[in-house]
Amino acid sequence: MKGNLGQLMKQAQVMQDNMRRMQESLATLEVEGQSGAGMVKVQMTCKYEVKRVAIDPKLVAEERDMLEDLVAAAFNDAARKVEATIAEKMSGMTAGLGLPAGFKLPF
C-alpha cells in the first residue's frame, strides 16, 4: 500500500509539471476567429489575450452597428476556438488517467 501511494504521488507531481508546461505553451499559442466571411478577424492567444483585430476597409464605410456586431462575433469565434484548442491539448495529457466522463482539468 505504501509503495502505491508513493507511486501515485510521483505521478501527481509529473502531471502537475506537465500542466504547468502546457499552460505556459498555451499562452503563446494563437487562434484566429472570423466573422462576416473573413471581413473581421481576431487573433487571440489561448489565454484569451487579443493580439490583433483586422477589419476589411470596405466595412468602415458600412453601418457602425453592423461592424460592431461583426467584431463581437469574431471575438466569440476566437474564444470558442481557444476552448477547443485547450480541450484538444489537455486530452492528450490526461488520456491515461482514467478520469470520469465530464471531469475537467485544471480544477
Side-chain angles (χ1 to χ4, degrees):
M1 177 77 172
K2 209 175 222 184
N4 290 340
L5 183 58
Q7 185 63 25
L8 185 61
M9 293 301 286
K10 281 183 183 180
Q11 287 177 339
Q13 182 64 41
V14 168
M15 185 175 168
Q16 186 176 22
D17 291 341
N18 289 342
M19 289 286 284
R20 182 185 46 76
R21 282 194 295 277
M22 177 66 68
Q23 288 173 340
E24 289 170 359
S25 74
L26 286 172
T28 60
L29 190 60
E30 292 184 12
V31 299
E32 179 180 88
Q34 298 184 25
S35 66
M39 293 180 8
V40 175
K41 298 176 182 177
V42 173
Q43 285 291 128
M44 177 185 287
T45 70
C46 286
K47 289 289 198 176
Y48 298 97
E49 180 182 339
V50 175
K51 293 294 192 172
R52 281 177 289 292
V53 175
I55 300 172
D56 189 305
K58 292 181 266 183
L59 279 177
V60 178
E62 297 290 328
E63 264 189 58
R64 182 176 170 197
D65 291 342
M66 183 175 88
L67 178 58
E68 290 171 348
D69 290 344
L70 289 172
V71 170
F75 274 101
N76 291 333
D77 185 47
R80 282 189 296 276
K81 289 179 180 177
V82 165
E83 290 296 323
T85 301
I86 290 171
E88 177 185 324
K89 297 289 184 186
M90 292 294 194
S91 70
M93 187 169 39
T94 59
L97 292 179
L99 297 174
F103 194 81
K104 288 178 72 174
L105 289 175
F107 305 107

